Amino acid sequence: MDVDFKKDEELEKLLRDLKDVKQSDYEFHDNIKPVYSTGKGLTRETVEEISAIKKEPDWMRRLRLKALEVFQSKPVPTWGPDLSGIDWENTSYYNRPDERRTNDWNDVPDQIKETFQKLGIPEIEQKYLAGSVAQYDSEGVYHNLRKVWEDKGVVFMDLDSAIQNYPDLVKDYYCKAVPVSDNKFAALNGAVWSGGSFLYVPKGVQIDMPLQTYFRMNGEATGQFEHTIVVADEGSKVHYIEGCTAPRYDKDSLHSAIVEIYVKKNAKARYTSVQNWSKSVYNMPTKRAWVDENAQMEWVGGSLGSKVTMLYPSSYLRGPHASASNLNIALAGAGTFKDTGAKALHFAPYTSSRIVAKSISIEDGKAIYRGLLRVNKGATHAKSKVQCDALLINDTSSSLTFPHDEIYEPSATFSHEASVGKIGTEELTYLRSRGLSEDEASSMIVLGFLDDVMKEIPMEFAVEMNRLVKLEMSRYGAVG
Amino acid sequence: MSKLEISDLSARVEDKQLLNGVSLTVNGGEIHALMGPNGAGKSTLGYVLMGHPNYQVTGGSVKLDGVELVGKYPEERARAGLFLAFQNPVAVQGVKLSTFLRTAYNQVHPNEKMTIQEFYDKMKLHMKKVGLDESFISRSVNDGFSGGERKRFEILQMVILRPKIVILDEIDSGLDVDALKMVAEEIKEYYNQEVGFLIITHYQRILKDIEPQFVHILIDGKIAMEGDNSISLKIEEEGYDWIRGV
């Protein structure tokens, strides 16, 4: 009981600290001119230019050009949300904010430092993190790793730095789990990627504090194309977190990332992301994990902002007893479209997967669950459980579920559960009759709906998510 | 001393008229029983007083300490000091009992600064008194509670939130004899603090433990008879038919 009470106390304190922060505190934009930009549009020259600025090895340059060809040959997908608003011609694909890259916040240019301070990043790093990377537009501007982990051989820096410092290590993993041919947006990333993190945890090293990368997109009509690689070597343990925000503009921006996670034998990796892009961002990342024998992969995602998000973190269960879990919260606010879900592919015996997807639609917000479950022949005794719950706040809100199952192994067992609910008058009235305002009551019901996922994420991120949900709810006022 | 004044109150749900001019005054320190056959509008009166959005007031007024409540939101009524113990409290999935109660407390008593430790201590003390195990603190509101546990939790909320006027809607249903005793004790202890009670009940059972000074009989959305507790005893023996015949 004492533990329980302490948790409440800490929660209240965190909420108090965060109380005065408003959505506008994320949506501010800095008056920073990039020191270098490739300008608008994407051609072979743009790609050559990015590679040259970065003084990359030739293998990377060739991979970029190959990816560009794939990108140009693939049509824009039309099976999901409307993507016709992406202005390919007028997007600038590479913007470098500053020449420097540092491991000391004091050396980060003042205005950029202020931005990250406003977002609370240095403070969070100090309190909760084993290491952190901060990316501003196209480039990482800061990275730091506590010495204790550095001494144990952990590598944590932006991917560009890693290519310079550990080219062979990077080459072993780069675009192995997510080949650029995977989809149009992965190909785009392959061509123009910049920034992202590289995290390598050596055999047997278990990091108890999370490591975080924070992405900030500042420019209007720009693209952010980071590529992140996390390698949890045999028997290791790691928790990696990503947070992202952007100012709101009239012209849309594009975020198209690749995240590759390699969980080796007996290792355990957790990837948490809280995305709060502004409502002028198309968010189209490709995220995938390779999970080896007896390894565990956990995806935890909060997709709160953006105009359109298409995201289906995938787990390839490659070795016996590999397991994956996927907890996802999607909040579809007014005028936004969340097409999210998860994929679990079982290639080996005794593999297991669990997917819990919760969506909340507000006003005309649209939330879709799209999932794939595949069990190959020979993946004997594979197990999978999928649960999708949707909560509709208004009469105009909508939600759809598209599960797709391909089961080729007769000994596999799997289950699907889906529910759709509305915030009920009875629940609202009950809470209000005790003195809670309509806003408080409805956000309490929403958070209650999310509770089984919230319980599994670190408290400071649960609080952050909690606050964002409340913000979003109060912005629309009345429910029903 | 608080005062709840209900004057000529009429209300309906959709097209159905359920209350037809109810007048009733509850002062602090008084216990009133509202009795009546099924479908007489007893629970409706509770909901209307609390401001349930499904019920439309078509006439009359409800004043708490001189302030008109009709047209006010449920939360405004709660903050003014009105409390309704629901007949069938709903479950709210994932909302922790302690979080809910503390949020409510802070709303109803914004000027009282109670630390979370003090709040927990107080909660635990009263949980013991109403017979709810401490472990309920981290359960979701009414989720998976038995009928009796829900009723105990309603009373817990009442003593924590400290309203001036309390409406208890069929508080004894779902409670066995021992549980009813505990709950009645807690209610009586709370009553001693000059609180006004309106006890809505179909049966006389609870009125043995908590004796009302005033009994009102509601039939077809109207007060058909008023008097002292002797009416409730007669109803116990003869039912409601004799009143209809009056």
Side-chain angles (χ1 to χ4, degrees), chain A residues 1 4-5 8-9 12 425-427 429-438 440 444-445 448 451, chain B residues 52-53 73 75 78-79 83-84 86 93-96 98 100 102-104 107 116-117 120 142 154 157:
Chain A
M1 200 51 57
D4 201 58
F5 141 70
D8 267 22
E9 192 169 48
E12 275 200 20
T425 310
E426 295 310 317
E427 286 95 326
T429 306
Y430 185 69
L431 299 183
R432 293 177 75 182
S433 77
R434 301 305 185 236
L436 278 68
S437 67
E438 186 176 21
E440 280 179 317
M444 201 173 257
I445 292 170
D451 187 60
Chain B
H52 193 297
Y73 293 127
E75 59 268 34
R79 292 171 199 170
F83 182 91
L84 168 67
F86 286 73
Q93 185 210 326
V95 173
K96 212 174 119 184
S98 59
F100 162 57
R102 192 163 156 81
T103 310
Q107 284 296 354
I116 204 160
Q117 173 84 67
Y120 263 71
N142 292 323
E154 293 294 290
Q157 293 176 55

Side-chain angles (χ1 to χ4, degrees), chain A residues 143-366:
Chain A
H143 62 81
N144 191 27
L145 175 67
R146 292 195 188 203
K147 195 166 176 303
V148 48
W149 302 115
E150 204 178 303
D151 290 347
K152 288 191 170 151
V154 176
V155 175
F156 186 44
M157 56 184 62
D158 60 88
L159 186 62
D160 296 276
S161 300
I163 285 180
Q164 302 298 334
N165 294 312
Y166 304 92
D168 294 334
L169 191 59
V170 174
K171 209 174 166 181
D172 282 348
Y173 298 102
Y174 180 84
C175 283
K176 292 293 190 291
V178 181
V180 293
S181 57
D182 194 80
N183 65 73
K184 187 173 180 77
F185 290 92
L188 174 62
N189 182 288
V192 298
W193 77 268
S194 182
S197 296
F198 182 77
L199 170 59
Y200 175 80
V201 186
K203 281 183 189 171
V205 174
Q206 307 211 332
I207 309 180
D208 45 10
M209 285 171 109
L211 298 108
Q212 173 179 273
T213 303
Y214 200 92
F215 297 96
R216 177 72 179 173
M217 207 186 327
N218 183 59
E220 180 173 25
T222 55
Q224 194 172 54
F225 306 99
E226 84 274 10
H227 189 138
T228 287
I229 297 171
V230 175
V231 183
D233 214 331
E234 291 183 10
S236 69
K237 187 180 161 190
V238 66
H239 182 187
Y240 173 75
I241 295 173
E242 284 184 356
C244 10
T245 57
R248 188 168 187 172
Y249 288 112
D250 294 335
K251 285 183 189 149
D252 295 334
S253 290
L254 177 59
H255 173 250
S256 177
I258 288 180
V259 174
E260 300 180 86
I261 299 180
Y262 301 88
V263 200
K264 303 288 186 75
K265 191 175 171 181
N266 298 328
K268 193 175 170 184
R270 173 181 266 209
Y271 169 95
T272 300
S273 68
V274 179
Q275 172 270 106
N276 188 27
W277 295 119
S278 69
K279 285 182 181 163
S280 49
V281 174
Y282 284 86
N283 182 38
M284 322 292 292
T286 305
K287 302 184 181 185
R288 190 167 301 158
W290 278 3
V291 193
D292 292 347
E293 184 179 346
N294 203 35
Q296 288 176 47
M297 174 66 209
E298 295 176 2
W299 298 96
V300 181
S303 183
L304 304 171
S306 86
K307 177 179 187 172
V308 171
T309 287
M310 293 175 78
L311 171 60
Y312 326 96
S314 322
S315 306
Y316 286 36
L317 302 166
R318 297 158 22 112
H321 298 280
S323 72
S325 85
N326 197 312
L327 306 176
N328 187 46
I329 292 172
L331 182 68
T336 69
F337 198 145
K338 291 287 162 67
D339 195 309
T340 60
K343 298 179 189 174
L345 294 90
H346 295 250
F347 300 125
Y350 297 100
T351 45
S352 64
S353 61
R354 178 176 76 118
I355 295 163
V356 181
K358 301 241 175 192
S359 73
I360 300 157
S361 311
I362 303 172
E363 298 216 324
D364 62 344
K366 198 168 183 179

Side-chain angles (χ1 to χ4, degrees), chain B residues 159-201:
Chain B
V159 290
I160 298 283
L161 299 177
R162 298 203 324 273
K164 299 178 200 162
I165 301 288
V166 175
I167 308 153
L168 302 174
D169 190 2
E170 306 285 357
I171 195 68
D172 53 337
S173 66
L175 292 174
D176 61 33
V177 181
D178 295 334
L180 182 59
K181 258 208 166 58
M182 281 182 110
V183 165
E185 278 310 312
E186 189 75 350
I187 292 171
K188 274 192 277 187
E189 194 180 321
Y190 187 61
Y191 158 70
N192 287 333
Q193 301 167 30
E194 303 285 282
V195 174
F197 274 88
L198 180 62
I199 299 175
I200 298 173
T201 182

Side-chain angles (χ1 to χ4, degrees), chain B residues 84-238:
Chain B
L84 168 67
F86 286 73
Q87 184 179 358
N88 299 306
V90 290
V92 192
Q93 185 210 326
V95 173
K96 212 174 119 184
L97 189 147
S98 59
T99 311
F100 162 57
L101 207 46
R102 192 163 156 81
T103 310
Y105 178 82
N106 287 335
Q107 284 296 354
V108 177
H109 301 288
N111 298 321
E112 289 178 21
K113 300 279 170 256
M114 207 192 278
T115 68
I116 204 160
Q117 173 84 67
E118 287 163 353
F119 190 76
Y120 263 71
D121 289 347
K122 187 170 179 178
M123 219 163 36
K124 285 181 191 173
L125 174 77
H126 288 288
M127 286 177 94
K128 203 169 191 170
K129 286 187 170 180
V130 299
L132 273 183
D133 191 80
E134 268 186 25
S135 63
F136 276 73
I137 283 183
S138 22
R139 302 251 317 247
S140 297
V141 170
N142 292 323
D143 199 10
F145 289 21
S146 70
E149 285 160 352
R150 288 179 193 220
K151 293 306 172 72
R152 293 170 199 251
F153 180 44
E154 293 294 290
I155 296 305
L156 176 70
Q157 293 176 55
M158 175 191 79
V159 290
I160 298 283
L161 299 177
R162 298 203 324 273
K164 299 178 200 162
I165 301 288
V166 175
I167 308 153
L168 302 174
D169 190 2
E170 306 285 357
I171 195 68
D172 53 337
S173 66
L175 292 174
D176 61 33
V177 181
D178 295 334
L180 182 59
K181 258 208 166 58
M182 281 182 110
V183 165
E185 278 310 312
E186 189 75 350
I187 292 171
K188 274 192 277 187
E189 194 180 321
Y190 187 61
Y191 158 70
N192 287 333
Q193 301 167 30
E194 303 285 282
V195 174
F197 274 88
L198 180 62
I199 299 175
I200 298 173
T201 182
H202 183 75
Y203 300 106
Q204 203 257 348
R205 191 168 79 132
I206 186 160
L207 305 179
K208 283 179 184 153
D209 288 300
I210 308 164
E211 199 177 317
Q213 296 102 335
F214 307 94
V215 176
H216 313 263
I217 309 299
L218 190 72
I219 293 178
D220 297 333
K222 266 190 279 207
I223 303 284
M225 181 178 274
E226 288 175 306
D228 61 21
N229 199 21
S230 63
I231 301 179
S232 78
L233 299 171
K234 193 163 180 193
I235 287 168
E236 169 95 334
E237 285 162 19
E238 303 180 27

